[in-house]
């Protein structure tokens, strides 16, 4: 009742969301308010998926900006940040060594690529599971063994989910894991690991330290569950301020773009961040490295058919990083 009174008196201009929960709540609870906002900016796979579902059903009555698929978000937050935070999170919680450990990483998107690169560089034996044949082929070309989870679940020392999906690791998988297997999630949703299935009378939970639980089977076998299946990089490690700056700048520019856009530029649909903004975010952070951009001459710009100030790549261009090049 109090929330309803406060919200009724509150003027909402825009929504900045991570996961789609706030958007979904306002859409369901305050539909009239939802129709009047100037736009939504969403930065997660799950949240973007929910926006596209609303759009497909004809229920998205405001423009939305998909920041998750912007280059600056995908590469710096998802790939480069997770490449470091996976090691940080595992070290802080388990104090383990990575050399020679067998690891299966579920999903070879940007987060999965970062995790694979980091663990391979530390001497781990890395397996990958993937549903997308293109990502699967990338994993193979980067030197990782593509498997089904059932094929390696008995032998691996660490299981890491990076899909954004649900029930990627089920109770059946958990039952078959070896003693002391470490299980954690780097994807967006906390539904990737079926943690609810572990809360049964025959299993014993033992809190070892903050964010670390041992789940013990009747025969004495135990698995090490980190952050109760929530995001390891947010729960058990730090996020570098440099990456936060890139992500926050991208989100802020998207909000400004939606708010200041003339009527009719953005309709009731989901849009990708304009390439020019992606490039601008990157250029703002180059001085951190004392980096000096090369400038096109007029002749070169004309030859390539580009504006000297960008954008330098078409919207369909994909910036690729091969994990096998990371030493």
């Amino acid at each position: 009742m109090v929330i309803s009174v406060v919200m009724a008196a509150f003027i909402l201009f825009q929504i900045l969301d991570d996961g789609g929960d706030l958007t979904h709540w306002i859409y369901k609870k305050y539909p009239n308010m939802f129709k009047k906002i100037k736009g939504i900016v969403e930065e997660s796979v799950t949240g973007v998926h929910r926006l596209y579902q609303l759009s497909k059903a004809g229920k998205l009555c405001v423009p939305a900006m998909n920041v998750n698929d912007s280059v600056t978000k995908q590469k710096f937050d998802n790939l480069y940040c997770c490449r470091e935070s996976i090691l940080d999170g595992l070290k802080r919680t388990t104090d383990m060594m990575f050399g020679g450990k067998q690891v299966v990483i579920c999903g070879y998107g940007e987060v999965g690529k970062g995790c694979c690169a980091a663990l391979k560089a530390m001497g781990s034996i890395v397996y990958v599971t993937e549903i997308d044949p293109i990502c699967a082929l990338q994993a193979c070309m980067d030197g990782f063994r593509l498997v089904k989870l059932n094929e390696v679940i008995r032998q691996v020392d660490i299981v890491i989910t990076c899909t954004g999906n649900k029930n990627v690791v089920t109770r059946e998988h958990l039952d078959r894991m070896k003693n002391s297997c470490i299980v954690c999630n780097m994807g967006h949703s906390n539904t990737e690991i079926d943690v609810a299935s572990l809360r049964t009378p025959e299993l014993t939970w033992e809190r070892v330290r903050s964010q670390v639980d041992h789940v013990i089977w009747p025969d004495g076998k135990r698995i090490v569950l980190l952050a109760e299946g929530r995001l390891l990089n947010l729960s058990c490690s730090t996020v570098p301020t440099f990456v936060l700056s890139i992500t926050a700048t991208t989100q802020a520019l998207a909000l400004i773009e939606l708010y200041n856009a003339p009527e009719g530029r953005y309709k009731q649909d989901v849009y990708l961040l304009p390439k020019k903004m992606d490039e601008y975010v990157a250029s703002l952070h180059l001085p951190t490295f004392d980096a000096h951009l090369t400038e096109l001459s007029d002749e070169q710009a004309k030859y390539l058919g580009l504006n000297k100030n960008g954008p330098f790549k078409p919207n369909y261009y994909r910036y690729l990083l091969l994990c096998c090049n990371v030493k």
Side-chain angles (χ1 to χ4, degrees):
M1 180 63 180
V2 175
I3 294 176
S4 298
V5 171
V6 172
M7 289 299 291
F10 181 68
I11 301 174
L12 185 68
F13 290 107
Q14 291 180 292
I15 296 175
L16 176 58
D17 210 354
D18 183 359
D21 293 329
L22 178 60
T23 300
H24 186 71
W25 182 72
I26 293 176
Y27 170 76
K28 290 289 188 182
K29 193 86 173 176
Y30 303 97
N32 291 330
M33 181 184 294
F34 186 79
K35 294 175 184 177
K36 296 176 183 178
I37 65 175
K38 295 276 287 183
I40 302 165
V41 172
E42 172 58 54
E43 76 146 358
S44 74
V45 173
T46 305
V48 166
H49 179 66
R50 295 168 83 172
L51 285 175
Y52 279 120
Q53 285 180 322
L54 281 177
S55 178
K56 188 176 180 180
K59 297 178 180 179
L60 185 63
C61 50
V62 296
M65 194 73 80
N66 170 7
V67 169
N68 176 73
D69 291 312
S70 66
V71 177
T72 43
K73 170 66 166 62
Q74 283 284 320
K75 296 302 175 187
F76 297 94
D77 196 333
N78 292 9
L79 194 154
Y80 296 118
C81 183
C82 290
R83 192 173 71 187
E84 298 190 21
S85 61
I86 181 62
L87 300 180
D88 184 30
L90 287 171
K91 277 288 187 184
R92 286 172 185 258
T93 52
T94 67
D95 300 316
M96 68 179 303
M97 291 190 68
F98 300 108
K101 293 293 191 299
Q102 296 192 58
V103 184
V104 61
I105 295 176
C106 303
Y108 201 67
E110 300 300 331
V111 174
K113 287 180 173 71
C115 293
C116 285
L119 288 161
K120 180 180 180 181
M122 295 299 292
S124 297
I125 301 162
V126 181
Y127 304 96
V128 172
T129 73
E130 181 54 69
I131 61 168
D132 184 331
I134 295 176
C135 292
L137 186 59
Q138 283 183 308
C140 292
M141 294 297 291
D142 287 342
F144 301 108
R145 174 82 184 280
L146 189 76
V147 298
K148 291 183 177 181
L149 187 55
N150 283 332
E151 296 171 358
V152 296
I153 197 64
R154 290 184 183 276
Q155 69 194 56
V156 293
D157 302 291
I158 311 172
V159 178
I160 304 169
T161 57
C162 308
T163 70
N165 205 343
K166 64 180 293 187
N167 295 334
V168 177
V169 176
T170 65
R171 175 61 189 268
E172 180 184 355
H173 294 128
L174 294 160
D175 284 338
R176 296 174 60 200
M177 289 177 185
K178 66 193 288 187
N179 185 48
S180 298
C181 181
I182 297 167
V183 187
C184 63
N185 171 38
M186 287 286 288
H188 174 75
S189 176
N190 64 354
T191 59
E192 298 207 27
I193 302 166
D194 188 8
V195 175
S197 70
L198 296 175
R199 301 191 183 280
T200 55
E202 74 272 14
L203 299 182
T204 303
W205 283 62
E206 180 181 292
R207 174 55 59 96
V208 179
R209 62 169 75 165
S210 177
Q211 307 292 356
V212 182
D213 290 289
H214 284 186
V215 184
I216 307 169
W217 269 249
D219 63 358
K221 183 198 89 168
R222 63 181 64 204
I223 63 167
V224 182
L225 179 64
L226 304 182
E228 297 184 38
R230 298 185 300 275
L231 279 171
L232 179 74
N233 54 326
L234 297 185
S235 303
C236 307
S237 73
T238 59
V239 179
T241 54
F242 182 71
V243 169
L244 287 176
S245 175
I246 292 174
T247 303
T249 304
T250 306
Q251 293 169 340
L253 287 175
L255 288 169
I256 293 168
E257 170 68 14
L258 286 176
Y259 190 81
N260 290 336
E263 189 173 347
R265 176 182 291 178
Y266 296 108
K267 297 179 173 57
Q268 299 168 351
D269 205 350
V270 184
Y271 294 86
L272 290 172
L273 190 75
K275 181 71 71 175
K276 181 68 176 174
M277 287 190 191
D278 253 335
E279 293 178 353
Y280 180 58
V281 172
S283 68
L284 289 175
H285 290 82
L286 283 175
T288 304
F289 304 99
D290 192 26
H292 304 140
L293 275 175
T294 301
E295 297 179 4
L296 290 173
S297 67
D298 292 336
E299 184 181 0
Q300 288 173 324
K302 183 178 179 180
Y303 178 77
L304 293 174
L306 297 175
N307 186 309
K308 288 179 67 174
N309 299 315
F312 298 99
K313 298 289 189 297
N315 285 331
Y316 57 79
Y317 184 83
R318 294 291 178 264
Y319 299 77
L320 299 178
L321 177 139
L322 297 180
C323 289
C324 57
N325 289 337
V326 180
K327 301 298 183 183

